[in-house]
Amino acid sequence: MLRIGSVVLGVSDVPRAAAFWMEALGYVPREEMQDDWVVLVPADGVGPQLSLGLSETPVQEHPRIHLDLYAGDAADQAAEVERLVSLGAQRVDWDLYPDDADFVVLADPEGNRFCVIDTGHGAIGTSHG
């Protein structure tokens, strides 16, 4: 049976993206970082890998695939959003928010969109696409 080994993000600056995601998630490089590739793993060994690969593909405004980062509740979500923004993430003026959104859309320093989810809101991640 197959299993997901790593989520891969295309980035234009691997060291910059790695610095953001390592600080955001508490991850470390699995091996020495290359200019065009790095695999990040949780420092505590628990969780999915995040690989960053050099890409010249433009960022999608409404990406078909994105990361959902889980926060505990609305207060935790707000605090995490502020922490991520202080690390270099940007708020996205998302045009598809439902009235009862349990998510906040951010972009990493490379422009890759991701969501911070309030898991205390109810059914996790069901209200966004």
Side-chain angles (χ1 to χ4, degrees), residues 33-54:
M33 188 181 321
Q34 305 299 312
D35 290 338
D36 62 350
W37 181 255
V38 66
V39 177
L40 303 177
V41 296
D44 66 5
V46 179
Q49 296 184 147
L50 180 64
S51 300
L52 307 171
L54 191 62

Side-chain angles (χ1 to χ4, degrees), residues 68-98:
D68 278 353
L69 306 181
Y70 286 3
D73 57 23
D76 188 33
Q77 177 191 44
E80 286 296 339
V81 165
E82 292 308 315
R83 183 179 73 86
L84 293 165
V85 167
S86 77
L87 295 175
Q90 294 184 354
R91 294 176 185 273
V92 173
D93 187 17
W94 193 247
D95 57 350
L96 302 175
Y97 278 119

Side-chain angles (χ1 to χ4, degrees), residues 6-26:
S6 189
V7 176
V8 181
L9 291 180
V11 300
S12 60
D13 184 330
V14 172
R16 176 178 69 178
F20 172 80
W21 287 110
M22 287 188 300
E23 189 68 26
L25 300 176

